[in-house]
Amino acid sequence: MYMSRFQQLAVVIKNIFLAYAFAVVLSACAASGGANARAGANSNAVKISSTHVQHVVFVTLANPSDAAAMKADSDAVFPNIPGVLNYACGPHIDVGRKNIRQDYTLGILVELSSVEAYRAYQANPEHIALIQKWKPKWSKSEMFDFGAP
């Protein structure tokens, strides 16, 4: 399907807005202790900041019943990777709004301290192993990165 430049720009703007909105919602969860709740409260948790790199991933699993296992694996790996400041993973939640995308199984937000930390995260052996395990089970994925360069 051919899209005009205006339509392409509209899609890019919409996707950036969706990623930002997702980060805002997760920051609200983090502020209430939901997204970053680990064993014991972490008083050193960094609040989500636009001066950091936000890596947002929306995954659609071929078999949605695999969601709990992928989330458990992600929960075990991502928070322990050096440079990760904040992490959240969860399924779509229905808040009753028709304009909220629902076409994904899990949303993942990883906040990193810098572009260098992001590059190290991408090369981290645990991250690579997790992606190698789960990527074959994805029917679709969308990724967004934003923040300070």
Side-chain angles (χ1 to χ4, degrees):
M1 179 172 106
Y2 173 77
M3 292 176 60
S4 71
R5 291 218 182 260
F6 177 76
Q7 289 171 317
Q8 291 172 347
L9 180 61
V11 168
V12 168
I13 291 170
K14 177 190 77 164
N15 287 338
I16 290 170
F17 174 77
L18 288 171
Y20 178 75
F22 186 70
V24 168
V25 168
L26 290 177
S27 69
C29 291
S32 67
N36 286 327
R38 295 189 190 118
N42 183 355
S43 61
N44 296 326
V46 178
K47 292 187 179 181
I48 289 177
S49 169
S50 61
T51 64
H52 299 139
V53 175
Q54 310 299 328
H55 177 58
V56 182
V57 180
F58 295 96
V59 172
T60 303
L61 290 165
N63 183 353
S65 67
D66 287 337
M70 182 178 162
K71 181 180 179 337
D73 284 354
S74 298
D75 289 351
V77 170
F78 290 133
N80 300 311
I81 294 176
V84 172
L85 301 175
N86 288 299
Y87 157 79
C89 178
H92 164 75
I93 57 171
D94 185 358
V95 295
R97 295 182 63 198
K98 301 294 183 209
N99 61 332
I100 301 295
R101 285 181 64 176
Q102 302 178 26
D103 60 341
Y104 63 94
T105 310
L106 288 174
I108 301 167
L109 171 68
V110 179
E111 181 176 26
L112 298 120
S113 56
S114 65
V115 172
E116 293 77 22
Y118 177 76
R119 289 186 180 123
Y121 158 85
Q122 289 294 315
N124 181 283
E126 289 183 89
H127 175 258
I128 291 169
L130 183 73
I131 299 306
Q132 287 175 340
K133 175 180 179 179
W134 283 102
K135 191 172 184 177
K137 298 176 184 191
W138 299 351
S139 62
K140 182 174 102 173
S141 67
E142 292 184 273
M143 296 177 202
F144 305 91
D145 296 327
F146 66 96

